[in-house]
Amino acid sequence: MYQAWGKRVFDVLVGITALVCLAPVLCLLALFVRILLGSPVLFSQQRPGLGGHPFRLWKFRTMTDAADPTGRLLPDHHRLGKFGLWLRSTSLDELPELVNVLRGEMSLVGPRPLLMEYLDRYSPQQARRHESLPGITGWAQINGRNAISWEQRFALDVWYVDHVSFQLDIKILALTGWKILTSEGVSEPGQATIRPFTGTPGSDTDPPPA
């Protein structure tokens, strides 16, 4: 019952409440992004949603448009300043995704929406992460975030798809707050963010249930 309609009702109620309560914060963040990082304030990109179908994701930009003399954008670690890194570590850059939740393109909890180009790189087991709406936070985000391997993240995503429940979603949302406060797993060790997913050799393994 929760998967059929309860999860959607929960998303809408919490999403509307969060947008109303956080409206002043959103406006203030938009102002600082405009001043410190430039325009446009929002970063928009096509991402795969339920069943791998594309949708347009919205979040606050965290990087500048700094480029080399030829006009090519500089590497991420050169464009991701202290303010952008803070936005990512606190996950405040994700707040505009609440609009995606209200539009039914995302859920509060689910596998994170990654890049469209990754779709043909997943194994059949990994591709099962798209059997659920993508989420603002998820099971992988509270179990390592960007500090774990791609294979571990996908295994955790699939585990969530197989165990969706109201109790699990509440647990994930509560633990997400703690992870944000402690800034755990913001980036992969030695990387400004996380290295691209290029595919997985061999077979997948499932994580043990928590």
Side-chain angles (χ1 to χ4, degrees):
M1 184 173 64
Y2 178 69
Q3 293 188 55
W5 57 268
K7 187 173 174 68
R8 177 59 183 157
V9 171
F10 179 70
D11 284 341
V12 171
L13 292 178
V14 175
I16 291 175
T17 302
L19 276 177
V20 171
C21 294
L22 294 173
V25 176
L26 288 165
C27 292
L28 190 61
L29 286 174
L31 177 62
F32 276 102
V33 170
R34 178 65 181 85
I35 294 172
L36 298 175
L37 299 177
S39 180
V41 168
L42 295 178
F43 168 79
S44 174
Q45 189 177 56
Q46 197 174 65
R47 298 288 179 91
L50 183 65
H53 300 295
F55 72 99
R56 178 114 352 229
L57 174 142
W58 297 91
K59 50 197 300 191
F60 284 121
R61 73 180 299 167
T62 56
M63 294 185 183
T64 67
D65 290 327
D68 62 22
T70 66
R72 179 179 300 176
L73 289 175
L74 295 175
D76 289 355
H77 65 278
H78 288 296
R79 298 188 294 124
L80 183 64
K82 290 183 179 180
F83 180 65
L85 185 59
W86 176 76
L87 281 176
R88 290 194 178 192
S89 66
T90 58
S91 294
L92 290 173
D93 62 317
E94 312 282 357
L95 289 181
E97 292 170 26
L98 287 168
V99 175
N100 291 120
V101 171
L102 295 183
R103 287 166 56 92
E105 299 160 335
M106 292 181 64
S107 176
L108 293 172
V109 181
R112 284 294 298 160
L114 300 175
L115 300 179
M116 294 296 298
E117 63 199 62
Y118 291 174
L119 285 176
D120 61 359
R121 301 176 189 175
Y122 296 132
S123 69
Q125 176 71 359
Q126 291 169 343
R128 292 193 58 231
R129 68 192 305 276
H130 293 294
E131 293 176 10
S132 174
L133 277 174
I136 294 179
T137 185
W139 189 234
Q141 278 57 57
I142 65 167
N143 285 283
R145 205 171 176 182
N146 292 332
I148 57 177
S149 70
W150 282 112
E151 288 73 24
Q152 290 172 309
R153 292 179 67 181
F154 297 149
L156 289 164
D157 288 340
V158 173
W159 186 89
Y160 172 80
V161 168
D162 290 334
H163 296 83
V164 175
S165 70
F166 177 69
Q167 292 81 1
L168 181 59
D169 280 1
I170 292 296
K171 176 180 180 179
I172 291 172
L173 289 171
L175 289 176
T176 295
W178 172 252
K179 294 294 182 179
I180 289 173
L181 289 175
T182 57
S183 298
E184 291 184 18
V186 175
S187 60
E188 183 180 356
Q191 302 288 320
T193 52
I194 186 171
R195 72 187 66 197
F197 174 61
T198 57
T200 302
S203 59
D204 303 311
T205 56
D206 292 328

